[in-house]
Amino acid sequence: MSSIADIQKKYAGKLDRLDLELILAHSLSKTREFVLIHDDYEIPKFKIENLKLKISRRIKGEPIAYITGHKEFYGLDFIVNASTLVPRPETEMLVEQALNETWSMDHGTKNTYIIDVGTGSGCIITAIANSMEHGAWSMEQKKTTQYYATDISKEALKIAKKNAKLNGVEKKIKFLHGDLLAPLLSNSCSMFHTPCSMSIIANLPYLSKEIYQSAPVDVKKFEPKTALFSPEQGLAHYRKLLEQVKKSLVLCSMFHVLCFLEISPEQKKLITPVIKNIFPKAKIEFKKDLAGKWRVCGIEIC
Ligand SMILES: C[S@@+](CC[C@H](N)C(=O)[O-])C[C@H]1O[C@@H](n2cnc3c(N)ncnc32)[C@H](O)[C@@H]1O
C-alpha cells in the first residue's frame, strides 16, 4: 500500500509539488485541500497504476491540463484535450476588456453580435456569454445580443460545444466551422444583412516563426501548432481577419464595430501599420497584462 506521503516522497525533486498535488487530487477524485491535509491517506491499490502513468506523463512535459482534462478560466471549468489550446490566464484580460467595452457600447434597439474567432476550447465566448447572461445586462440587451464562435478545427469545436453546455450557455452560442469570419460572411448566414453592432474577440495564432521555435518544448510537443503559429511575423491571421471585417462592412450598415485581439508584446509596433492599412481611421488602444507586457489590442473601427 502507498499513502499520499509515500508518493510525495518518491517524486520529490522529480516533479513540481503543486503539479503532484493536482495529479493526486484528480486521480483520487478528491480536492487539492484533501491531498494537503490527508497525507496519511492510503491510495487504493487499483488507482496506483493510473496515478503513476499520469505522473510519468507530467515528468515527460505534458501540460497538467491535458493530463487532468480540465482547466479553470475566468472562474469557470473547461474541458481541454490535445486539439485545443490550454486557456491562458492572460487571455482573461481579453474577456475583461471585451466585456467592459461591449457593455458600454451604445446598443439602442439594434442587434449586437459578439463573435469569438478561433474559439479553441470555447473559453472566451463561454466566459463572455456566462458573464453577460448572469450579469447586469437589461432584458432588452440580453434579447438583442447574439453569440457566435468559429474555428478551423472541427475537433476543437466539439470541445467548445461541450464547454458551453458545461457552463449553461450552449443555447446562447452558435458554433461555426470555417476560416475566421468566413462562415458568417457566407450567403447561408444572414446576420450581416440587418443593421447591427459587432464586437469581435480573437486570440488567434500569433507566434512568429522565431518565437514559435524558441517556445518551451512542452508547448511545441503537446499543443497544436495550428493554434499558435502564424506567418508574416505572427500577424497573418489578424491581417486576414481585419480584411474580412472590412468585407462585412460592405455587406451591411454597422453602427459600431469593435475588435479585441490578443497579441505578443513585440507586436504592438508591428500591428499598428497592418490595421491602419486596412482601416485608416480606426482608433487603436493597447493594454498591458498583469506582468506589464502589451497583450491586448483594442480597435474601434466605427
Ligand atoms: C491561440 S488558439 C486560442 C484558442 C482560444 N481562443 C483560447 O483563447 O484559448 C487559436 C485558435 O484559432 C484556431 N484557428 C487557427 N486558424 C484559424 C482560422 N483560419 N480560422 C478559424 N480558427 C482558426 C485554432 O484552431 C485555435 O483553436
Side-chain angles (χ1 to χ4, degrees):
M1 289 286 268
S2 295
S3 67
I4 287 179
D6 294 334
I7 294 289
Q8 282 174 326
K9 203 167 153 198
K10 183 168 179 188
Y11 292 99
K14 292 188 192 144
L15 193 58
D16 179 81
R17 199 181 163 87
L18 170 65
D19 286 355
L20 186 54
E21 283 162 12
L22 291 172
I23 292 175
L24 277 161
H26 177 72
S27 300
L28 303 175
S29 307
K30 305 279 185 198
T31 63
R32 199 179 138 227
E33 290 68 31
F34 178 93
V35 170
L36 285 171
I37 298 165
H38 300 93
D39 66 352
D40 56 346
Y41 176 82
E42 293 290 341
I43 300 168
K45 219 172 168 186
F46 73 95
K47 292 200 171 179
I48 290 282
E49 271 321 296
N50 188 270
L51 172 67
K52 286 187 177 166
L53 190 72
K54 286 181 173 150
I55 291 173
S56 82
R57 282 168 66 187
R58 183 63 196 131
I59 291 173
K60 286 181 193 145
E62 189 168 344
I64 194 97
Y66 288 155
I67 298 170
T68 62
H70 289 263
K71 176 76 185 172
E72 191 192 306
F73 179 83
Y74 213 73
L76 302 172
D77 181 29
F78 287 89
I79 299 164
V80 290
N81 71 10
S83 59
T84 65
L85 190 90
V86 177
R88 306 291 204 264
E90 56 268 31
T91 304
E92 294 185 338
M93 207 189 132
L94 193 67
V95 170
E96 196 67 30
Q97 200 180 339
L99 276 170
N100 288 341
E101 299 194 21
T102 305
W103 165 256
S104 41
M105 261 196 313
D106 170 23
H107 297 273
T109 55
K110 303 175 291 285
N111 288 321
T112 300
Y113 294 97
I114 299 182
I115 307 165
D116 174 19
V117 186
T119 195
S121 63
C123 59
I124 295 175
I125 198 72
T126 298
I128 290 179
N130 187 281
S131 294
M132 294 245 182
E133 294 304 316
H134 298 115
W137 275 48
S138 67
M139 281 314 287
E140 190 56 35
Q141 281 170 324
K142 285 180 188 171
K143 259 198 282 172
T144 55
T145 301
Q146 296 184 41
Y147 304 91
Y148 287 84
T150 74
D151 206 288
I152 200 85
S153 159
K154 285 187 180 167
E155 292 307 309
L157 282 171
K158 278 187 205 160
I159 300 294
K161 284 180 195 168
K162 282 190 186 171
N163 281 324
K165 189 164 183 195
L166 183 66
N167 292 291
V169 288
E170 79 275 18
K171 293 203 176 98
K172 299 274 162 210
I173 309 168
K174 285 201 179 76
F175 290 96
L176 304 168
H177 175 243
D179 184 15
L180 308 173
L181 282 182
L184 291 156
L185 294 170
S186 70
N187 288 337
S188 57
C189 186
S190 62
M191 66 173 275
F192 291 119
H193 303 308
T194 51
C196 56
S197 296
M198 183 161 75
S199 214
I200 293 172
I201 301 107
N203 177 19
L204 282 166
Y206 60 70
L207 298 189
S208 64
K209 193 174 162 197
E210 294 68 33
I211 294 191
Y212 181 76
Q213 275 167 355
S214 65
V217 178
D218 302 3
V219 171
K220 285 192 285 191
K221 195 167 159 195
F222 294 101
E223 300 204 74
K225 187 176 180 185
T226 46
L228 293 161
F229 166 72
S230 185
E232 300 174 27
Q233 295 173 296
L235 292 173
H237 284 73
Y238 286 138
R239 183 188 47 72
K240 189 170 180 188
L241 172 66
L242 293 171
E243 282 165 357
Q244 289 183 341
V245 173
K246 191 167 185 177
K247 200 169 157 197
S248 76
L249 299 185
V250 178
L251 293 177
C252 158
S253 59
M254 300 275 179
F255 287 95
H256 209 158
V257 178
L258 303 176
C259 289
F260 304 94
L261 315 178
E262 182 171 315
I263 58 162
S264 172
E266 81 290 347
Q267 288 173 333
K268 178 177 183 272
K269 275 191 201 144
L270 301 170
I271 200 169
T272 303
V274 174
I275 300 165
K276 287 285 175 191
N277 194 25
I278 301 168
F279 295 111
K281 291 184 184 162
K283 286 187 201 149
I284 307 169
E285 194 187 4
F286 293 92
K287 290 248 162 77
K288 287 182 179 171
D289 62 20
L290 292 175
K293 296 184 174 169
W294 296 111
R295 190 61 65 191
V296 176
C297 170
I299 314 168
E300 186 176 354
I301 291 171
C302 59

